[in-house]
Every structure is written in C-alpha cells, then in structure tokens.
Amino acid sequence: MIMPAEKELRAVLARFAQARIEHDVLPTGRTSRALEDATYTLCVITGSRTVEQALRAADALLDQYTAGRAGLRREDETLAA
C-alpha cells in the first residue's frame, strides 16, 4: 500500500467525521451520499474494505507519523550536540 500524506489522511478523516455527524443529526439523501463518498474515500486511502478497518488503519498510520516525527526530533538533537 502506498502511504498517504499525513495531511491528506487527516483531511479525509475530517471529511468522514463531518459527514457522519451531519448524517446522524439529520439524515437525508444528500447526507447519505456524502457519508458513502467519504467512507469510500477513507477505505481507498487506507487500503481497507470496511469503515472499521479503515479507521483502525488510519489510527495506525497516524501513530507511524507521530513516531517518525519523534525520531526526527531525536536525530536533530543529536546533530545539534
């Protein structure tokens, strides 16, 4: 799987969350389509088949991004010393 950029993943997650909230508050045909589209996009970007798998994959990717940034900070501190 090609890893999505962190910014793109966060944008897709935000879009999914917004669509989920809007559909839960006042379900309409428009909100249903928006939720389906956001769910599909989230599944594609994470290489998953279900929204549950996609959310778990997104969490794992975000953890990887965080760990990568922490590693870069340690590397920068070593170079500065």
Side-chain angles (χ1 to χ4, degrees):
M1 174 179 91
I2 297 173
M3 281 186 58
E6 182 178 5
K7 186 175 180 178
E8 290 177 25
L9 179 59
R10 289 185 182 280
V12 169
L13 283 168
R15 185 171 150 224
F16 172 78
Q18 184 64 37
R20 176 84 261 171
I21 290 166
E22 287 178 5
H23 186 68
D24 286 349
V25 170
L26 183 62
T28 65
R30 184 195 63 77
T31 62
S32 179
R33 286 186 300 278
L35 181 57
E36 286 177 18
D37 184 49
T39 300
Y40 174 80
T41 303
L42 180 60
C43 286
V44 168
I45 201 169
T46 59
S48 303
R49 291 182 174 251
T50 67
V51 70
E52 292 83 9
Q53 291 172 345
L55 291 170
R56 281 193 299 274
D59 282 342
L61 285 168
L62 291 173
D63 287 344
Q64 287 179 19
Y65 295 135
T66 301
R69 279 194 304 274
L72 287 177
R73 283 189 209 114
R74 280 193 296 273
E75 196 174 287
D76 288 344
E77 290 171 6
T78 303
L79 291 175

